[in-house]
Amino acid sequence: MSKAILCVDDEKIIVMSLVEQLRERFEDRYIYEMAMSGEEALEIIDELVEDSVSVILIISDWLMQGMKGDELLIRVSQKYPGTLTVMLTGQATQEAIERVRDTVGLKAYVTKPWDKESLMNRIQELLEPLEA
């Protein structure tokens, strides 16, 4: 079964940058998808699952137009438990982060702007058990 990583942010430059960094680190081991909103992300996940692609990691911004990242990650965890989640934030409160961590088992949160090497190392740590 193919495995996908989904990057979600309402700023196109950010999702494009994330996907580029992921491709540099992990090359063609995964399918890399981009969504510009929480609603679009849910549609993409459902389509991938229908095509027998497992979405193993979602990297989502917290503050987006429409559905915020915390709501997206909670909804994904309810429908697809076991999906790894990383939240990017420039503005999330500690309360919001803790709510997501407690609800979905948030694996990491990263403040914007992020350090590329630190973020990619953290993602690699999260993915290693799935590659064994």
Side-chain angles (χ1 to χ4, degrees):
M1 177 180 272
S2 298
K3 297 176 184 173
I5 297 173
L6 175 61
C7 300
V8 187
D9 197 302
D10 57 358
E11 294 183 53
K12 190 171 188 173
I13 188 92
I14 290 177
V15 289
M16 291 175 66
S17 175
L18 275 170
V19 167
E20 181 180 311
Q21 292 171 20
L22 289 163
R23 279 195 176 117
E24 282 177 19
R25 175 62 69 99
F26 302 106
E27 298 170 342
D28 61 355
R29 281 189 264 177
Y30 304 103
I31 297 168
Y32 305 100
E33 293 286 340
M34 296 183 279
M36 302 294 292
S37 70
E39 294 84 0
E40 182 183 9
L42 292 173
E43 290 174 17
I44 290 170
I45 294 166
D46 288 340
E47 289 171 9
L48 288 167
V49 170
E50 283 179 23
D51 291 337
S52 297
V53 176
S54 176
V55 180
I56 60 170
L57 173 65
I58 298 174
I59 305 168
S60 178
D61 187 23
W62 178 70
L63 189 57
M64 299 183 286
Q65 296 293 320
M67 183 186 307
K68 289 189 173 42
D70 56 346
E71 181 182 345
L72 167 64
L73 298 181
I74 289 168
R75 289 176 65 178
V76 167
S77 73
Q78 291 168 343
K79 192 168 183 179
Y80 303 106
T83 304
L84 299 172
T85 55
V86 174
M87 184 181 294
L88 299 175
T89 179
Q91 302 176 14
T93 64
Q94 190 64 34
E95 179 181 313
I97 292 166
E98 288 173 9
R99 181 172 78 95
V100 176
R101 181 177 288 142
D102 293 345
T103 305
V104 304
L106 183 69
K107 295 298 181 186
Y109 73 93
V110 178
T111 56
K112 290 180 177 180
W114 64 85
D115 174 74
K116 174 184 166 183
E117 220 30 56
S118 295
L119 177 58
M120 292 301 114
N121 288 340
R122 181 65 181 125
I123 290 170
Q124 186 165 348
E125 289 172 10
L126 293 173
L127 296 175
E128 280 176 353
L130 302 176
E131 294 179 351

